Amino acid sequence: MSERLDVGILGATGTVGQELIVALATHPWFRVAWVGASERSVGKRYADATPWRLRTPRPDAVAEMVVEECVPVTAPRLVFSGLDSTVAGEVEAAFATAGHTVVSNARNYRMDADVPLLIPEINPDHLQLLEEQTRVRQWPGKLVANPNCSTIVMTLALAPLCQFGLTHVMVSTLQAVSGAGYPGVSSLDIVGNILPHIDGEESKMESETQKVLGAVTHGRVVPHEVVVSAQTTRVPVINGHTALISVKFETPPPPGDIIRAFRDFSGRPQAEQFPTAPCHPVCYLDDPNRPQPKLDVDREGGMAVTVGRLRECPVLDYKFIVLGHNTVRGAAGAAVLNAELMKVDGLVSI
Amino acid sequence: MSERLDVGILGATGTVGQELIVALATHPWFRVAWVGASERSVGKRYADATPWRLRTPRPDAVAEMVVEECVPVTAPRLVFSGLDSTVAGEVEAAFATAGHTVVSNARNYRMDADVPLLIPEINPDHLQLLEEQTRVRQWPGKLVANPNCSTIVMTLALAPLCQFGLTHVMVSTLQAVSGAGYPGVSSLDIVGNILPHIDGEESKMESETQKVLGAVTHGRVVPHEVVVSAQTTRVPVINGHTALISVKFETPPPPGDIIRAFRDFSGRPQAEQFPTAPCHPVCYLDDPNRPQPKLDVDREGGMAVTVGRLRECPVLDYKFIVLGHNTVRGAAGAAVLNAELMKVDGLVSI
Amino acid sequence: MSERLDVGILGATGTVGQELIVALATHPWFRVAWVGASERSVGKRYADATPWRLRTPRPDAVAEMVVEECVPVTAPRLVFSGLDSTVAGEVEAAFATAGHTVVSNARNYRMDADVPLLIPEINPDHLQLLEEQTRVRQWPGKLVANPNCSTIVMTLALAPLCQFGLTHVMVSTLQAVSGAGYPGVSSLDIVGNILPHIDGEESKMESETQKVLGAVTHGRVVPHEVVVSAQTTRVPVINGHTALISVKFETPPPPGDIIRAFRDFSGRPQAEQFPTAPCHPVCYLDDPNRPQPKLDVDREGGMAVTVGRLRECPVLDYKFIVLGHNTVRGAAGAAVLNAELMKVDGLVSI
Amino acid sequence: MSERLDVGILGATGTVGQELIVALATHPWFRVAWVGASERSVGKRYADATPWRLRTPRPDAVAEMVVEECVPVTAPRLVFSGLDSTVAGEVEAAFATAGHTVVSNARNYRMDADVPLLIPEINPDHLQLLEEQTRVRQWPGKLVANPNCSTIVMTLALAPLCQFGLTHVMVSTLQAVSGAGYPGVSSLDIVGNILPHIDGEESKMESETQKVLGAVTHGRVVPHEVVVSAQTTRVPVINGHTALISVKFETPPPPGDIIRAFRDFSGRPQAEQFPTAPCHPVCYLDDPNRPQPKLDVDREGGMAVTVGRLRECPVLDYKFIVLGHNTVRGAAGAAVLNAELMKVDGLVSI
């Protein structure tokens, strides 16, 4: 694999686009060769078109690239989409129609029956849906999506528990402002304050989780029957979604089994050593004061979630807390891991 | 009632003590005539002994008072206690033994069978326990307590729902730093961060709620059977505890009935117009972006809690959010309202 | 004065507009009778058109008003302008041309030679410029402006020092996010962070100060010769601009004289008891830990600035800190005080 | 240099001690072999004695070490001191008396005539003072100190300007809470607030700067004649002190020369490639929105300071902003760089 595959980024000047560029800067398999953005930026140097917002400095390699229009003509075969949902639907379809493989972070196609909603540690077999996608849409290309950021963080902590017959989940989130993009949340609304509502977030967590954890039968996902109830809030934290979770099982296991399930959890990204895979996707800490965004958000480059405070729940069976990096594990890193899975499975080629 | 009753404050230099002084500064029935604090402050002018921490300026009336030792000798018959739990147990007992009426905010005696754990809108009849208290402890004085701050905020929103047969409550809190006193939470731990653990808080919410909502029979509280499960966190907010709540009923009412129950809720403080009573102890807002600490914490002088976002819960029956001022409704104002109830019932005299 | 004068508000749905509505809600002389805003809001109920952002609840009186287009036809003779500078120039001129008196918070006309840049405690005589304004512009109406928020806060602390021959001022500001309006500063830029640059702010402080402190001779302001150098930053504070100031005098007075000058400072608003006037426009505190936004921003309803930490400066003569409420004393309250001055001087009539 | 020198850490469980442990974890020359702390921690495993506060995880190598009493007996020859100033004076003297080399971050000896106050890029020749130290104190060991955190950050930006005849400096700081240690600043004092006063900080900046920039003649430092005036504040930022600076020169150079001086600045750490040395100790950015703590504090591992916004100053000659990492460049990293200098100069041996 000495040669890196050229990839493109749709929405390259936005926050997810910037995270994608960072995530791919030193990637051993992929090389950013094309950056697309909205009309306003087209024709400019990437460095001029993009007010860089991340702590990690802008990789030099992209600074001189010229921003292209988001149309398929000159783009590489594999494109990552960090587009806003207002435009993602049309643009991503145009790319798939033109034969491109689209690895999307947008919400538009997530719940479509023929679109794999992937978390490679959990449901790599959902790639099977692509056959149905080809049949139904007649796209020469393909499209896969990753779930919403808070869904990914929570589901990584739920997946290890499915073996115990998970039936109900109550979740309350304290979500970072970076999840709303830039400029996103006004400082007047959040400095010293809490926002009790994130539009559409609760229903995404409730439905996407069932699809991600579902099984594929006859080319269709049968959603997992777990019932999820979510309350989502915004807090004055830059990066890191915290989720307070209570779960109910068919037969509740002893707590030691649950902690072992968290710690032992791994999947194909770990077994096959994907470049972006964390060694341990779920880290359980015994310290009752953890996880904390400040201390734990960057674990394994932001690709691992941290769980803590497992204890019995008087109403359901157990409660615990999970924290994950919303723009890395919950967005850009999630998309890159999806692309790695597709590459390994021969679904992306030069 | 042209004459105001002299009262004393135990722990007058601390944060709850300061809140008590503010709450009583213009009180029509009570007048702060005595301030007690730890050895370090004894003999100093109150203004010199107290680094004032509140937005509301220090009332002039107390500035020149000399801080006394926390012993009963010279103190008025009625004392409010804002003492830390490390000393409250002994000191409060000494005052009750010496014949004083102690209205306590400390946690030490809250769960004792003979101590009324009061929220005057909810359980004024728990004052009956004082007869048992006199019998058991042989105190010439009396002691009543208010619940923990997060319990008060939540329970004010639960009380209107008991009529529907409330059976289960799941609650996640986002608690303000003022709840931890001064200096309390280090800025290094909370600026841009979330703390996932507040020592002892979850069990207090789970047990105190049952006592507060319980019925008194034969001089004892029979705890309410509602099962409560709490997850409590600390957030970078100065004042205002937010609680995300899901509830289950024996027979779930339609949502309109619940909202009406919130809005119509009132008790003796309202009916008898106690000076510190809010007109509407529970305010329900239709705006999905409310309640917010910044916008709602000071409602009715901080004595009313604000509820919002009532919606169905896929796991239990309904979910909603409640916000209340933790140092006013949850501490100093709670104690003052308790004293007003006792005064009206003739349990406090000159 | 039993009858209140009808007034209108240009830009009534924005943050300054909301502050104006609060400032006028219980005003003894003025009554908001007309609210104007941009096309998007025209024809809607004020309550529907305006996402209310302030801690103080929206006054009921305006809730049902219908938002009007910002054209003079139906508006009262006296209008306050909280318009954004992108539109204020044209709209305010249109109102003055139609015979209205415009009390503006926008920056557009501030530095024009014939526009009074008023702080009523400091330069009420600048109203003389209106004669020149009438002559030059041929407006049947009039227009006065208040300075930029940080200029007002600083200049209130400088004015008492002019008697000592103030020659040089170095100022560094730590400005609240509310100064940037709504949505204004992105939370991603300011939570746990400092922004080192506020566009145009430094030059405003350097030039407006000279005009405000200048003397009117022959119908023109001769700018004060004080040389001002400003460095302005944005900090994660909701309300309250803090300014760190060093000053140089022709003949430096002893520190006691300076403190006395701060404390004794007052002007026509105090002498003639304007409704919005603070009793003491400048409050000097001895405590070295003051002023603080949290503790001091609301002094005298936000209309007084707080000064502290006067000490010798090794480079210039003295240094000290001043804090003021940027949206009250620095914007809405400033405009209302200007209107009160004009009313008293017979420049506003029914 | 294949063998690493054993070093000890005084005050190893505190925040500076933790930073020192991180800074030395992978150091090619030094190896932490001994950790000392206060009585409370003595005899415990380091992992048990230390509530770890840093983002960087605790290096495994120290976890099992047993915390020692802060007495010289078993400690290595070279010790770093992160002790609090209340105990540093006595303990550090005891170590130097016992023949140890003490590299101190405490303030106790900084201004003593025979103690080098080092910033290796600026005044490595101040090590000459050690001869005087040996003569005066008769210590078999040695003691060197680094300046206060805000002094280091500022002085790194001033040193390149000394060539132009720097005569006056006005500085206002916005300092991070980590500068106050743990628990340090109470969250109640700083969330959404500014503290206008840091005890002793201003005089440190004013005097230490003159010593650091001074020349050594006949075994004594002749302080630089630059006059410094400082105003220091605390802001809700975790790491990174921002300083707003105005400077006056004997003969002001053109701005291009100043920017070049910042960018070209380097010293012995760069020329001789000390392990902890940043490639460019001062980085000048053209973007007017920089430096920002969030984006720039970690530049070159936190060892470089970032300067921006150079512009003319109407009162002095030029103004600009500098930002640096207060616990890395301003404390632990500063001490390590000092030890590297001493090692290179043969003042530390095995």
Side-chain angles (χ1 to χ4, degrees):
Chain A
M1 286 217 190
S2 63
E3 218 143 289
R4 297 203 287 163
L5 185 68
D6 280 356
V7 303
I9 297 180
L10 299 168
T13 60
T15 42
V16 176
Q18 294 184 22
E19 293 278 3
L20 282 165
I21 281 168
V22 166
L24 294 167
T26 58
H27 200 281
W29 299 353
F30 305 129
R31 192 177 71 88
V32 176
W34 185 97
V35 288
S38 65
E39 215 174 321
R40 199 180 46 220
S41 302
V42 171
K44 294 186 188 167
R45 288 169 67 237
Y46 181 78
D48 295 336
T50 310
W52 191 257
R53 303 286 173 197
L54 308 183
R55 271 186 107 92
T56 319
R58 187 192 57 230
D60 290 335
V62 297
E64 298 303 323
M65 287 186 187
V66 174
V67 177
E68 307 278 343
E69 207 182 337
C70 284
V71 290
V73 192
T74 61
R77 306 305 290 165
L78 175 61
V79 293
F80 293 88
S81 165
L83 290 170
D84 191 81
S85 61
T86 51
V87 297
E90 213 166 317
V91 173
E92 293 177 6
F95 274 76
T97 303
H100 295 262
T101 296
V102 181
V103 179
S104 173
N105 181 61
R107 70 156 188 264
N108 307 60
Y109 294 101
R110 280 183 195 151
M111 294 304 292
D112 285 12
D114 62 333
V115 172
L117 189 62
L118 294 175
I119 299 179
E121 282 91 346
I122 300 177
N123 62 0
D125 57 308
H126 285 208
L127 280 175
Q128 294 171 60
L129 298 183
L130 290 176
E131 289 172 35
E132 179 72 2
Q133 188 182 91
T134 303
R135 206 181 56 75
V136 174
R137 307 215 188 222
Q138 302 280 325
W139 283 340
K142 311 172 187 65
L143 187 150
V144 304
N146 56 259
N148 174 271
C149 49
S150 46
T151 307
I152 296 179
V153 170
M154 173 175 72
T155 310
L156 277 166
L158 295 181
L161 308 183
C162 285
Q163 60 183 295
F164 306 118
L166 184 68
T167 61
H168 294 81
V169 175
M170 296 277 310
V171 57
S172 298
T173 66
L174 296 78
Q175 300 188 207
V177 291
S178 62
Y182 187 88
V185 181
S186 165
S187 55
L188 275 170
D189 284 333
I190 203 73
V191 170
N193 199 25
I194 299 295
L195 293 177
H197 179 52
I198 303 174
D199 198 41
E201 194 83 357
E202 297 178 350
S203 63
K204 283 183 214 165
M205 291 187 76
E206 292 170 3
S207 59
E208 292 181 8
T209 302
Q210 295 176 325
K211 179 171 177 182
V212 169
L213 296 176
V216 179
T217 321
H218 308 305
R220 299 191 68 85
V221 175
V222 182
H224 195 287
E225 291 187 348
V226 63
V227 179
V228 179
S229 174
Q231 304 218 47
T232 58
T233 70
R234 192 73 73 187
V235 294
V237 164
I238 294 291
N239 287 315
H241 287 359
T242 300
L244 316 179
I245 295 178
S246 281
V247 290
K248 190 170 173 57
F249 298 106
E250 278 160 24
T251 317
D257 289 12
I258 293 180
I259 291 174
R260 209 167 308 117
F262 286 137
R263 289 186 168 150
D264 291 351
F265 181 67
S266 77
R268 286 189 50 200
Q270 286 70 42
E272 303 171 31
Q273 299 187 28
F274 294 0
T276 301
C279 296
H280 299 281
V282 181
C283 168
Y284 183 85
L285 297 182
D286 293 313
D287 183 341
N289 294 307
R290 307 289 280 273
Q292 293 178 26
K294 180 187 162 186
L295 298 176
D296 298 307
V297 73
D298 289 327
R299 189 174 305 281
E300 300 219 24
M303 287 299 289
V305 302
T306 306
V307 177
R309 299 201 68 216
L310 181 78
R311 55 219 192 281
E312 294 193 359
C313 172
V315 172
L316 303 185
D317 291 326
Y318 284 101
K319 44 191 176 185
F320 57 88
I321 302 183
V322 59
L323 166 87
H325 197 305
N326 52 299
T327 66
V328 177
R329 184 71 220 206
V336 173
L337 202 63
N338 284 352
E340 291 170 2
L341 173 67
M342 295 180 81
K343 179 86 168 67
V344 166
D345 281 2
L347 293 164
V348 165
S349 51
I350 304 191
Chain B
M1 284 217 190
S2 64
E3 217 143 294
R4 296 203 288 162
L5 184 67
D6 280 355
V7 303
I9 296 181
L10 299 168
T13 59
T15 41
V16 176
Q18 295 183 22
E19 292 278 4
L20 282 164
I21 281 168
V22 166
L24 293 167
T26 58
H27 200 280
W29 299 353
F30 306 127
R31 191 178 70 88
V32 176
W34 185 97
V35 288
S38 64
E39 216 173 319
R40 201 180 45 223
S41 303
V42 171
K44 295 186 188 166
R45 290 169 66 237
Y46 181 78
D48 295 336
T50 310
W52 192 257
R53 305 285 173 198
L54 309 184
R55 272 185 107 94
T56 319
R58 188 191 58 230
D60 290 335
V62 297
E64 298 302 324
M65 286 188 187
V66 174
V67 177
E68 306 279 341
E69 207 181 339
C70 282
V71 290
V73 193
T74 60
R77 304 307 288 166
L78 174 61
V79 293
F80 292 88
S81 166
L83 290 170
D84 190 81
S85 61
T86 52
V87 297
E90 213 166 317
V91 173
E92 294 177 7
F95 273 77
T97 303
H100 296 263
T101 296
V102 181
V103 179
S104 174
N105 181 60
R107 71 157 187 262
N108 307 60
Y109 295 100
R110 281 183 194 151
M111 294 303 294
D112 286 11
D114 62 331
V115 172
L117 188 62
L118 294 174
I119 299 179
E121 282 92 345
I122 299 177
N123 62 1
D125 57 309
H126 284 208
L127 279 174
Q128 294 171 60
L129 297 183
L130 289 176
E131 289 171 35
E132 179 71 1
Q133 187 181 88
T134 304
R135 206 182 56 75
V136 174
R137 308 215 189 222
Q138 303 280 325
W139 282 341
K142 311 172 187 65
L143 187 150
V144 305
N146 57 259
N148 174 271
C149 49
S150 45
T151 306
I152 296 177
V153 171
M154 173 175 73
T155 310
L156 278 166
L158 295 180
L161 309 184
C162 286
Q163 61 183 295
F164 305 118
L166 184 68
T167 62
H168 294 82
V169 175
M170 294 278 309
V171 57
S172 297
T173 66
L174 295 78
Q175 299 188 208
V177 291
S178 61
Y182 188 87
V185 181
S186 166
S187 55
L188 276 170
D189 283 335
I190 202 74
V191 169
N193 199 27
I194 300 296
L195 293 177
H197 178 54
I198 303 175
D199 198 41
E201 194 83 356
E202 297 177 351
S203 62
K204 283 182 213 165
M205 292 187 77
E206 292 171 5
S207 59
E208 293 181 7
T209 302
Q210 294 177 324
K211 179 171 178 182
V212 170
L213 296 177
V216 179
T217 321
H218 307 307
R220 299 190 68 85
V221 175
V222 181
H224 195 287
E225 291 188 349
V226 63
V227 179
V228 179
S229 175
Q231 303 218 47
T232 57
T233 69
R234 192 75 72 188
V235 293
V237 164
I238 293 292
N239 287 317
H241 287 357
T242 300
L244 316 179
I245 295 179
S246 281
V247 290
K248 191 171 173 56
F249 298 107
E250 277 159 25
T251 316
D257 288 12
I258 293 181
I259 291 173
R260 209 168 309 116
F262 286 137
R263 289 185 168 149
D264 291 351
F265 181 68
S266 77
R268 288 188 49 200
Q270 286 71 42
E272 302 171 33
Q273 298 186 29
F274 295 0
T276 302
C279 297
H280 299 280
V282 181
C283 169
Y284 184 86
L285 298 182
D286 293 313
D287 182 341
N289 295 306
R290 305 290 279 272
Q292 292 179 26
K294 180 186 161 186
L295 299 175
D296 299 307
V297 73
D298 290 328
R299 190 175 304 282
E300 300 218 26
M303 287 301 287
V305 302
T306 306
V307 177
R309 300 202 66 218
L310 182 77
R311 56 219 191 283
E312 294 195 0
C313 172
V315 172
L316 304 184
D317 290 326
Y318 285 100
K319 43 191 179 186
F320 57 89
I321 302 183
V322 58
L323 167 87
H325 197 305
N326 52 299
T327 66
V328 177
R329 184 71 222 206
V336 173
L337 201 64
N338 284 352
E340 291 170 2
L341 172 67
M342 294 180 81
K343 179 86 169 67
V344 167
D345 281 2
L347 293 164
V348 165
S349 51
I350 304 191
Chain C
M1 285 218 190
S2 63
E3 218 144 292
R4 296 203 288 161
L5 184 68
D6 280 354
V7 302
I9 296 182
L10 300 168
T13 60
T15 41
V16 176
Q18 294 184 21
E19 292 278 3
L20 282 164
I21 280 168
V22 167
L24 293 167
T26 58
H27 200 280
W29 299 354
F30 306 127
R31 193 178 69 87
V32 176
W34 185 96
V35 288
S38 64
E39 215 173 319
R40 201 180 45 222
S41 303
V42 171
K44 296 185 186 166
R45 289 169 66 236
Y46 181 79
D48 295 336
T50 309
W52 191 257
R53 305 285 172 197
L54 308 184
R55 272 187 107 93
T56 319
R58 188 193 57 230
D60 289 335
V62 297
E64 299 302 325
M65 286 187 188
V66 174
V67 178
E68 307 279 343
E69 206 182 339
C70 283
V71 291
V73 191
T74 61
R77 305 305 290 166
L78 175 61
V79 292
F80 293 88
S81 166
L83 290 170
D84 191 80
S85 60
T86 52
V87 296
E90 214 166 316
V91 173
E92 292 176 9
F95 273 76
T97 302
H100 295 263
T101 295
V102 181
V103 179
S104 174
N105 180 60
R107 69 157 187 262
N108 306 60
Y109 295 100
R110 281 183 195 151
M111 294 303 294
D112 285 11
D114 62 331
V115 173
L117 188 63
L118 295 174
I119 300 180
E121 283 91 344
I122 300 177
N123 62 1
D125 57 309
H126 285 208
L127 280 174
Q128 295 170 59
L129 297 183
L130 290 175
E131 289 172 35
E132 179 71 1
Q133 187 181 89
T134 303
R135 205 181 57 75
V136 174
R137 307 214 188 225
Q138 302 280 326
W139 282 341
K142 310 171 188 66
L143 186 150
V144 304
N146 56 259
N148 172 271
C149 49
S150 45
T151 306
I152 296 178
V153 171
M154 174 175 72
T155 309
L156 277 166
L158 295 181
L161 308 183
C162 285
Q163 59 183 294
F164 305 118
L166 185 66
T167 62
H168 294 83
V169 175
M170 296 278 309
V171 57
S172 298
T173 66
L174 295 79
Q175 299 188 208
V177 291
S178 61
Y182 188 87
V185 181
S186 165
S187 54
L188 276 170
D189 284 334
I190 203 74
V191 169
N193 199 25
I194 300 295
L195 293 177
H197 180 53
I198 303 174
D199 199 41
E201 194 83 356
E202 297 178 351
S203 62
K204 282 183 213 163
M205 291 186 77
E206 291 170 3
S207 59
E208 292 180 7
T209 303
Q210 294 176 326
K211 179 171 178 182
V212 169
L213 297 177
V216 179
T217 321
H218 308 306
R220 300 191 69 85
V221 175
V222 181
H224 195 287
E225 291 189 350
V226 63
V227 180
V228 179
S229 175
Q231 304 217 46
T232 58
T233 70
R234 192 74 73 188
V235 293
V237 164
I238 293 292
N239 288 317
H241 287 358
T242 300
L244 317 179
I245 295 179
S246 282
V247 290
K248 191 170 172 58
F249 298 107
E250 275 160 27
T251 316
D257 288 11
I258 293 181
I259 292 174
R260 209 167 310 116
F262 286 137
R263 290 185 167 148
D264 291 351
F265 181 68
S266 77
R268 286 188 50 200
Q270 287 70 42
E272 302 170 34
Q273 299 186 29
F274 294 1
T276 302
C279 297
H280 299 281
V282 180
C283 169
Y284 184 86
L285 297 182
D286 293 313
D287 182 342
N289 295 306
R290 305 291 278 272
Q292 293 179 27
K294 180 186 162 187
L295 298 176
D296 299 306
V297 73
D298 289 327
R299 189 174 306 282
E300 300 218 27
M303 287 300 287
V305 301
T306 306
V307 177
R309 298 203 68 219
L310 182 77
R311 57 217 191 283
E312 293 194 1
C313 173
V315 172
L316 303 184
D317 290 327
Y318 284 100
K319 42 192 179 185
F320 58 89
I321 302 184
V322 59
L323 167 87
H325 198 306
N326 52 299
T327 66
V328 177
R329 183 72 222 206
V336 173
L337 201 64
N338 284 352
E340 291 170 2
L341 172 68
M342 294 180 81
K343 179 88 168 68
V344 167
D345 281 1
L347 294 164
V348 165
S349 52
I350 304 191
Chain D
M1 285 217 189
S2 64
E3 219 144 289
R4 297 204 287 162
L5 186 67
D6 280 356
V7 303
I9 296 181
L10 299 167
T13 59
T15 41
V16 177
Q18 295 183 21
E19 292 278 3
L20 282 165
I21 280 167
V22 167
L24 293 167
T26 58
H27 200 281
W29 298 354
F30 305 128
R31 192 178 70 87
V32 176
W34 186 95
V35 288
S38 65
E39 216 174 320
R40 201 179 47 221
S41 302
V42 171
K44 295 186 187 165
R45 287 169 68 238
Y46 181 78
D48 295 336
T50 310
W52 191 258
R53 305 285 172 198
L54 309 184
R55 271 186 109 92
T56 319
R58 189 191 56 231
D60 290 336
V62 296
E64 298 302 323
M65 286 187 189
V66 174
V67 177
E68 308 279 343
E69 206 182 336
C70 283
V71 290
V73 192
T74 61
R77 305 306 289 167
L78 175 61
V79 293
F80 292 88
S81 166
L83 291 170
D84 191 81
S85 61
T86 51
V87 297
E90 213 166 317
V91 173
E92 293 177 7
F95 273 76
T97 302
H100 296 262
T101 296
V102 181
V103 179
S104 173
N105 181 60
R107 71 158 187 263
N108 306 60
Y109 294 101
R110 280 183 195 152
M111 294 304 292
D112 286 11
D114 62 331
V115 173
L117 189 62
L118 295 174
I119 299 180
E121 282 91 346
I122 299 177
N123 62 0
D125 57 309
H126 284 208
L127 279 175
Q128 295 170 60
L129 297 183
L130 289 176
E131 289 172 34
E132 180 70 2
Q133 188 182 87
T134 303
R135 206 180 57 75
V136 174
R137 307 216 188 221
Q138 301 281 323
W139 281 341
K142 312 173 186 62
L143 187 150
V144 304
N146 55 258
N148 173 270
C149 49
S150 46
T151 306
I152 296 178
V153 171
M154 173 175 71
T155 310
L156 277 166
L158 295 181
L161 309 183
C162 285
Q163 59 182 295
F164 305 119
L166 185 67
T167 61
H168 294 82
V169 175
M170 296 277 311
V171 57
S172 297
T173 66
L174 295 79
Q175 301 189 205
V177 291
S178 61
Y182 187 88
V185 181
S186 166
S187 55
L188 276 170
D189 284 333
I190 203 73
V191 169
N193 199 27
I194 299 295
L195 294 176
H197 179 52
I198 304 174
D199 198 41
E201 194 83 356
E202 297 178 351
S203 62
K204 283 183 213 164
M205 292 188 77
E206 292 171 4
S207 58
E208 292 182 7
T209 302
Q210 295 177 326
K211 180 171 178 182
V212 169
L213 296 177
V216 179
T217 320
H218 308 305
R220 298 191 69 84
V221 175
V222 181
H224 195 287
E225 291 189 349
V226 62
V227 179
V228 179
S229 174
Q231 304 218 47
T232 58
T233 70
R234 192 73 73 189
V235 293
V237 164
I238 293 292
N239 288 316
H241 286 359
T242 300
L244 316 179
I245 295 178
S246 281
V247 290
K248 191 171 172 55
F249 298 106
E250 278 159 25
T251 316
D257 289 11
I258 293 181
I259 291 173
R260 210 167 310 119
F262 286 137
R263 289 186 168 150
D264 291 351
F265 180 67
S266 77
R268 286 189 51 200
Q270 287 70 41
E272 304 171 32
Q273 299 187 28
F274 295 0
T276 302
C279 296
H280 298 282
V282 180
C283 169
Y284 183 86
L285 297 182
D286 293 313
D287 183 341
N289 294 306
R290 305 290 278 274
Q292 293 179 26
K294 180 187 162 187
L295 298 176
D296 298 306
V297 72
D298 289 328
R299 188 174 304 282
E300 300 219 26
M303 287 298 289
V305 302
T306 307
V307 177
R309 299 203 67 218
L310 182 77
R311 56 217 192 283
E312 293 194 1
C313 172
V315 173
L316 303 185
D317 291 326
Y318 285 100
K319 43 192 178 184
F320 58 88
I321 302 184
V322 59
L323 166 87
H325 197 305
N326 53 299
T327 65
V328 177
R329 184 72 221 206
V336 173
L337 202 63
N338 284 352
E340 291 171 1
L341 172 68
M342 294 180 81
K343 179 86 170 66
V344 166
D345 281 1
L347 293 164
V348 164
S349 52
I350 305 190

